[in-house]
Amino acid sequence: MPELSKGPAQTVAGPPGTPVQVQGRWRQLSLLGGTMLVDSTEASLVSSLFPLIRQSLGVSLGALGILTAASKIVGVFTGPFWVWAAQRWSRKSVLVVATGLWGLWGVAAGFSQNFTQLVILYTILAAGYAAANPIITELIGDLFGSSSRGRAIGFVYGAISLVGAVIGPLKGQLAGVDEGWRWGLWGIGGFNILLGIALLIWFRDPGRGASEQQLADLDRTSREAVSKLSWDKAFSLLRIRSLVILLVSRLLSGHLLVGTFAVVFLVDVYGFSTQRASLIILPFGVGYFLGTLLGGFAVDRVSRRNPRSGPVAVLQAAQFAFAVLAYFGTQFRYDSILVFGALFALIGAAQGMNPGINRPMVMAITPPELRGAAFALYASIAEAIAWAGYSLGAGFLADAVGLRVVFLWVLVVLMLVNGLFLTLLYRTYAVDTARIQEELDTRRRDVLADPR
């Protein structure tokens, strides 16, 4: 019979029904959050400083759509590759290389002499960063049990947004520096390399299934023996109805456009300067931070009280709230940037609720070994296609009909459609979560019954 976890193992399982505690989970989470923070900051740098890039390299607004689309499309291919590599070697080594040392490409992008060079180097940079979302989210699922995943993800995405909000106006001030966008890429790329070294030294992978009640007290070898990924298992993801619905919903997530075009929207539509328009990044980030905390706590709470439909209702409400707030925040002219700041704070809060809700929902309907592949589908493919499509389309449509019209259809109308579409989850989510719990129960019985 396999031995139970003991000694310096990283999981502490209490009596049946009590939450599993992975030792050092918050310390490990801080390292993972720091990595995602730098990756997302570098990814948003180009969009927030695009007015400078446009002036420096002599390109049109459509170039922003090309940059964003290229960086997202490449993740469709490299995201699943990094998940495979993490299964083949280790999640830690992939993160060290792909999201840490890969910052060298960010430094190189800062030396671009024309738009073609910037597109190529920025796309290569994004190819590595595509590893962060699926692998780190998978790791969070192994560090935290089902009763605390919402809060953990909320803290990570909230901290990323909050720090990014503080950095945002600082990035905007690079507009006053000659070729300031280059200094931004150099600085963040260098800091990312340092974080890669920190991951190499201090990060400890708890192993797949470490936070599952049924598997936590098994030794790591036994846990991972029953959690090996195969092609059959990977393709079985598409048979999970709730996951397919969430994937389609991600394709309908027009709110992804805000992070790319918010600053240039205020510059082009309402005539603010780049430095003044970039000031909304702070309230938007603070709102997003509060939204992630609210979403995380809400999904943990409703999952305990009403696990069958509670998370679905909270996710659906977030889409409707975003659409209403986006209408008032983008379709009316306000003379003061402070009014826009207040409205974008509320928009950020509605958008920020999503990660703390949808990520735990994906975890709840997939077994441990498939979560990385599920998040590759969800973030690296579906989200990337949506982001690329909206960014590329918005960039060119804005040249023809204006960003205000684009925002109306994508941020308001499409998000209302998204909220209505999520109604389908009421028929599938409870069934899919129950199936996963039954599968984990079976695995535990099989492992403990093995006489070897």
Side-chain angles (χ1 to χ4, degrees):
M1 180 181 295
E3 295 181 0
L4 299 184
S5 186
K6 58 185 179 181
Q10 293 188 324
T11 59
V12 179
T18 60
V20 175
Q21 299 287 330
V22 178
Q23 296 176 358
R25 57 183 184 166
W26 289 105
R27 182 173 61 254
Q28 303 301 318
L29 185 68
S30 65
L31 283 170
L32 297 175
T35 301
M36 288 190 71
L37 167 64
V38 178
D39 290 354
S40 64
T41 300
E42 187 140 28
S44 65
L45 182 71
V46 167
S47 59
S48 61
L49 291 179
F50 180 76
L52 300 182
I53 297 174
R54 178 169 57 182
Q55 181 180 5
S56 175
L57 301 181
V59 294
S60 68
L61 182 60
L64 177 56
I66 294 174
L67 273 173
T68 305
S71 67
K72 296 301 178 184
I73 290 173
V74 73
V76 172
F77 304 98
T78 59
F81 166 76
W82 292 122
V83 171
W84 171 83
Q87 284 271 347
R88 177 65 177 80
W89 289 285
S90 74
R91 294 185 288 192
K92 176 178 177 177
S93 61
V94 168
L95 288 177
V96 169
V97 173
T99 69
L101 304 182
W102 211 264
L104 285 169
W105 292 105
V107 175
F111 289 99
S112 300
Q113 297 303 303
N114 54 57
F115 182 68
T116 300
Q117 290 180 10
L118 180 61
V119 170
I120 293 173
L121 292 171
Y122 190 64
T123 302
I124 295 174
L125 176 68
Y129 287 173
N133 202 310
I135 295 178
I136 290 177
T137 311
E138 179 190 29
L139 280 164
I140 294 174
D142 292 327
L143 287 168
F144 292 85
S146 58
S147 64
S148 56
R149 284 173 184 155
R151 283 171 290 167
I153 293 174
F155 280 127
V156 168
Y157 281 87
I160 289 171
S161 178
L162 186 60
V163 176
V166 174
I167 295 176
L170 297 179
K171 289 188 295 185
Q173 302 316 304
L174 290 173
V177 179
D178 186 34
E179 299 290 290
W181 63 274
R182 299 184 188 275
W183 287 99
L185 284 170
W186 293 333
I188 297 177
F191 191 61
N192 217 21
I193 295 171
L194 294 177
L195 268 176
I197 296 172
L199 281 173
L200 178 64
I201 297 173
W202 289 299
F203 181 69
R204 299 292 180 268
D205 189 332
R208 290 176 176 84
S211 66
E212 299 298 339
Q213 184 69 40
Q214 297 92 331
L215 308 178
D217 60 347
L218 304 177
D219 65 89
R220 181 167 176 170
T221 301
S222 297
R223 288 202 313 267
E224 302 210 346
V226 296
S227 297
K228 290 182 178 178
L229 180 63
S230 65
W231 284 109
D232 288 340
K233 285 185 177 181
F235 283 114
S236 71
L237 286 171
L238 297 178
R239 295 196 293 269
I240 303 174
R241 293 182 298 167
S242 296
L243 180 60
V244 173
I245 293 171
L246 287 169
L247 289 173
V248 175
S249 172
R250 207 58 182 162
L251 292 173
L252 297 174
S253 295
H255 57 58
L256 298 173
L257 197 64
V258 174
T260 305
F261 282 90
V263 173
V264 73
F265 169 80
L266 292 177
V267 172
D268 287 7
V269 176
Y270 294 122
F272 292 99
S273 67
T274 300
Q275 289 172 294
R276 183 170 289 273
S278 66
L279 294 176
I280 67 154
I281 297 175
L282 178 57
F284 178 84
V286 172
Y288 192 99
F289 168 69
L290 296 175
T292 57
L293 297 183
L294 175 61
F297 279 102
V299 79
D300 285 346
R301 185 177 181 86
V302 299
S303 293
R304 291 191 294 268
R305 295 191 170 192
N306 183 15
R308 296 179 59 86
S309 60
V312 179
V314 176
L315 182 62
Q316 191 175 39
Q319 314 314 305
F320 291 138
F322 180 90
V324 173
L325 292 167
Y327 175 72
F328 288 102
T330 65
Q331 298 305 304
F332 298 91
R333 175 183 294 275
Y334 306 102
D335 293 332
S336 173
I337 194 66
L338 296 178
V339 177
F340 278 108
L343 288 168
F344 269 82
L346 295 173
I347 292 171
Q351 183 176 353
M353 291 184 67
N354 284 275
I357 304 170
N358 56 38
R359 266 65 172 180
M361 290 178 69
V362 173
M363 293 175 188
I365 59 177
T366 53
E369 73 278 7
L370 289 182
R371 286 173 189 155
F375 284 114
L377 278 174
Y378 190 75
S380 299
I381 297 180
E383 182 176 303
I385 290 174
W387 209 323
Y390 293 135
S391 298
L392 189 61
F396 289 105
L397 282 175
D399 287 334
V401 300
L403 269 177
R404 186 175 178 179
V405 175
V406 171
F407 271 28
L408 174 64
W409 283 98
V410 177
L411 302 187
V412 180
V413 177
L414 189 62
M415 290 304 295
L416 290 174
V417 173
N418 193 1
L420 292 172
F421 177 77
L422 288 171
T423 303
L424 295 174
L425 283 174
Y426 289 111
R427 303 186 60 177
T428 64
Y429 183 72
V431 175
D432 289 332
T433 54
R435 176 183 50 80
I436 291 300
Q437 292 304 306
E438 291 173 3
E439 181 177 337
L440 293 175
D441 288 336
T442 300
R443 289 186 185 186
R444 177 177 178 79
R445 288 194 300 268
D446 291 345
V447 170
L448 295 178
D450 192 338
R452 289 176 294 176

